[in-house]
Amino acid sequence: MAQLHTGSHKQPSSVTEVPDTLAGAQPDSMMESILQEIAAVGRRLEGRDTRISELTSESCSHRTDIAGFQDRVMGLDQRLTLVEDKLNHLSITVKELQFLKDKLTDLEDRSYRDNVHFFGILEPVEGTDVRAFLQDIIPSIMGLSFSPPLEFQRVYRIGTLRKDALGKPRLLIACFLWHEQVRQLLNAVQTHGPYTYKGHEVRLSPDFSRNTNKKQKAFLAV
């Protein structure tokens, strides 16, 4: 039996061996280039990291500002709601005050409905008894008869007595006892006026509140 030869036999190689100087030169150059690129990328990333940090900080600051603005807007919205509520309440209050004012004017006019203003009656022709004076001259200058006879609750002049006899006489106000006599008197003035007494024109008018007089004066131009 043939004996196998145990010695190692070197197989022939088909690849040509490269010298160490040539084999190490190109990888080292590539590695250096790669390291330089990595260093450059690292430097760029460092700058970007700084910028990203700045942007993050700015973003946080903007979020804080936005949160502050939101709080302010919410505060303004609450204040606006309060103002609207107050305006609504004020509107209701104004309407109520206007209603009370109109009601007061109406009541005041009703309380004056028995009063008649006499303009142009010279002083002191009435003497000491103004009631008797009006009871006498009203039927005579107006040609009216009253049944029952004229009666007054109050008769008085407005203001202080003027020392100058030629001055404008004070307003004389008579509060009648019977309202029907007031209506009869004012209807006669509208139909037959004006009237005169001792050569002076005598004018009569109903008595109204200040607010009603102001409204009436607005129609004078018309």
Side-chain angles (χ1 to χ4, degrees):
M1 191 171 181
Q3 294 292 327
L4 294 176
H5 181 68
T6 57
S8 59
H9 296 274
K10 187 174 183 180
Q11 299 294 328
S13 177
S14 60
V15 180
T16 305
E17 293 183 2
V18 180
D20 292 341
T21 55
L22 295 177
Q26 186 174 1
D28 289 342
S29 177
M30 292 177 61
M31 183 62 67
E32 184 178 356
S33 178
I34 292 173
L35 292 175
Q36 291 177 356
E37 291 293 334
I38 292 174
V41 170
R43 288 192 296 270
R44 288 197 295 269
L45 289 177
E46 288 179 359
R48 291 183 180 180
D49 288 341
T50 303
R51 182 56 181 162
I52 290 173
S53 299
E54 294 176 354
L55 293 175
T56 303
S57 178
E58 291 179 1
S59 178
C60 293
S61 177
H62 291 330
R63 283 198 296 267
T64 303
D65 294 338
I66 291 172
F69 290 146
Q70 290 177 342
D71 293 339
R72 292 181 183 179
V73 170
M74 292 179 62
L76 291 175
D77 185 64
Q78 293 176 355
R79 293 175 62 183
L80 180 60
T81 301
L82 292 176
V83 171
E84 289 177 347
D85 293 340
K86 289 182 179 180
L87 286 177
N88 292 333
H89 179 71
L90 181 60
S91 177
I92 296 174
T93 304
V94 170
K95 291 180 180 179
E96 292 176 349
L97 289 177
Q98 185 61 44
F99 172 79
L100 293 175
K101 182 180 178 180
D102 295 339
K103 190 68 175 178
L104 180 61
T105 299
D106 180 68
L107 292 174
E108 193 174 359
D109 288 336
R110 288 178 182 273
S111 68
Y112 294 158
R113 65 196 300 263
D114 295 329
N115 292 351
V116 176
H117 289 186
F118 292 83
F119 301 90
I121 297 180
L122 300 179
E123 301 183 70
V125 295
E126 67 269 20
T128 57
D129 192 347
V130 186
R131 294 171 183 261
F133 171 75
L134 288 182
Q135 289 172 342
D136 179 57
I137 69 162
I138 290 177
S140 63
I141 67 175
M142 301 184 68
L144 299 175
S145 60
F146 298 91
S147 180
L150 291 176
E151 294 186 52
F152 305 99
Q153 300 181 53
R154 297 177 301 278
V155 180
Y156 55 93
R157 287 186 183 269
I158 297 296
T160 58
L161 179 63
R162 293 181 175 84
K163 296 181 180 180
D164 185 4
L166 300 178
K168 184 178 179 180
R170 292 175 297 166
L171 170 66
L172 191 150
I173 299 178
C175 179
F176 287 72
L177 181 61
W178 308 105
H179 181 68
E180 188 59 34
Q181 294 177 345
V182 175
R183 294 173 58 87
Q184 183 180 356
L185 190 63
L186 295 177
N187 288 336
V189 170
Q190 293 180 357
T191 305
H192 304 289
Y195 299 97
T196 58
Y197 179 72
K198 292 187 177 182
H200 294 274
E201 181 180 350
V202 176
R203 295 180 293 108
L204 287 75
S205 71
D207 192 8
F208 294 106
S209 65
R210 180 177 299 179
N211 290 332
T212 302
N213 284 329
K214 186 182 296 185
K215 293 178 181 179
Q216 289 178 339
K217 288 180 179 179
F219 293 92
L220 293 179
V222 178

